[in-house]
Amino acid sequence: MVSSAFVLLSVFAAAAAAKGGKRCLAWPWYNAPLNPGVFNNGNGEVVAIYDWETYRPPSTNDTGGLEFIGMQRCLDCDSSPLTWLPARLQEQGWHTVFTLNEPDLNGITPGQAAEWYIEHINPLPVAKALPAVSSSVGPGQGLDWVSDMITACAGQCHFDYVNAHWYGVSLEQFKSFIEGAHARFPNYRLVISEYALQPPATQDDQVAFFKQALPFLDNADYVELHCIYVATSPALAEAHGTSPDWVGNSLYNDDGSPSAVGELVLSPSSG
């Protein structure tokens, strides 16, 4: 069921309509030394930022002028207490909320998620995304989990977007996943809130991939928003436990400037 907040759509959706941008920053909790405003250069390609939490992005410049999307990534957790969700939404002026981070891999059943969603997310007066699932094709995971949750909702979950992550090995595999998600949920717009090639992809591999993936998503009229994983620097990522194999997709260089992948994010798509 589409939420009543769909008429709002959100500031970032309005910006996307006006400027053509639908890209966002996936912002880790350890990013305090970085400035998201680096990606708000006036071209309007990047329109939003989220940090997997309901608190504002840790940075040198708040959201850098980008629309902040709060995310209740957990059923309840110390970093984003569920009881604080309505107040944070109101105080920070959200227009969109993301929910549950990869519940299909974290032991949350579709039925449990549906019950939680109806009680805690339905009442929020903003546009809403279903939980962000993985791209796993394992039984009961990924898009199968989304289908099972929608069934468990029995028409009582109010949502505007289907939210998914993707990690894989090729552009062809990525396109197949996105097109398959659209075919499966044709009545809902998609948010791709994490995506990148998986290791052993190098930065050169990531650049080649994103050169084609970015315009593909920008030009897909059923995609609302997409966020490359991840808006950080290699040094910060490695300092907080990320394997060196996973830093080629970083949007920042260690000096805080856009990386080779970051420069692509700043560049308008053709076509």
Side-chain angles (χ1 to χ4, degrees), residues 97-248:
V97 64
F98 289 170
T99 59
L100 301 183
N101 188 59
E102 297 189 344
D104 56 317
L105 303 184
N106 290 313
I108 300 173
T109 69
Q112 182 184 11
E115 184 177 354
W116 173 88
Y117 190 103
I118 291 166
E119 180 177 358
H120 299 290
I121 305 302
N122 271 4
L124 302 176
V126 294
K128 305 169 182 68
L130 286 180
V133 295
S134 73
S135 52
S136 172
V137 294
Q141 297 179 341
L143 298 179
D144 286 348
W145 190 99
V146 177
S147 290
D148 291 344
M149 179 182 167
I150 291 173
T151 298
C153 286
Q156 297 181 64
C157 295
H158 304 161
F159 65 94
D160 305 289
Y161 312 121
V162 170
N163 192 347
H165 298 165
W166 180 87
Y167 296 99
V169 299
S170 70
L171 180 71
E172 291 71 24
Q173 185 187 71
F174 176 66
K175 286 183 174 181
S176 177
F177 176 79
I178 301 300
E179 291 167 347
H182 174 53
R184 195 162 185 175
F185 306 105
N187 297 323
Y188 302 102
R189 296 175 66 77
L190 303 181
V191 170
I192 312 303
S193 54
E194 294 181 24
Y195 69 108
L197 293 178
Q198 63 193 32
T202 64
Q203 185 182 67
D204 287 345
D205 294 330
Q206 300 284 6
V207 167
F209 169 75
F210 288 120
K211 278 184 177 177
Q212 298 183 72
L214 284 165
F216 168 71
L217 293 175
D218 287 341
N219 294 325
D221 59 8
Y222 52 85
V223 173
E224 179 71 15
L225 198 68
H226 57 96
C227 323
I228 289 175
Y229 185 85
V230 60
T232 193
S233 67
L236 283 171
E238 290 185 47
H240 292 87
T242 299
S243 165
D245 293 337
W246 272 104
V247 301

Side-chain angles (χ1 to χ4, degrees), residues 14-112:
K19 301 179 182 178
K22 56 169 80 172
R23 303 173 188 177
C24 79
L25 302 183
W27 195 263
W29 63 269
Y30 50 75
N31 261 11
L34 296 177
N35 177 11
V38 167
F39 287 92
N40 189 10
N41 67 348
N43 288 344
E45 296 301 321
V46 181
V47 294
I49 182 172
Y50 84 100
D51 61 2
W52 293 272
E53 303 284 358
T54 58
Y55 56 73
R56 303 286 283 188
S59 78
T60 63
N61 187 22
D62 190 42
T63 67
L66 301 171
E67 170 76 4
F68 176 59
I69 301 171
M71 182 173 189
Q72 186 65 44
R73 65 174 177 82
C74 50
L75 295 173
D76 197 8
C77 46
D78 291 342
S79 58
S80 292
L82 184 60
T83 55
W84 294 6
L85 175 59
R88 283 184 170 176
L89 180 152
Q90 184 175 17
E91 291 166 2
Q92 298 174 18
W94 306 354
H95 296 85
T96 302
V97 64
F98 289 170
T99 59
L100 301 183
N101 188 59
E102 297 189 344
D104 56 317
L105 303 184
N106 290 313
I108 300 173
T109 69
Q112 182 184 11

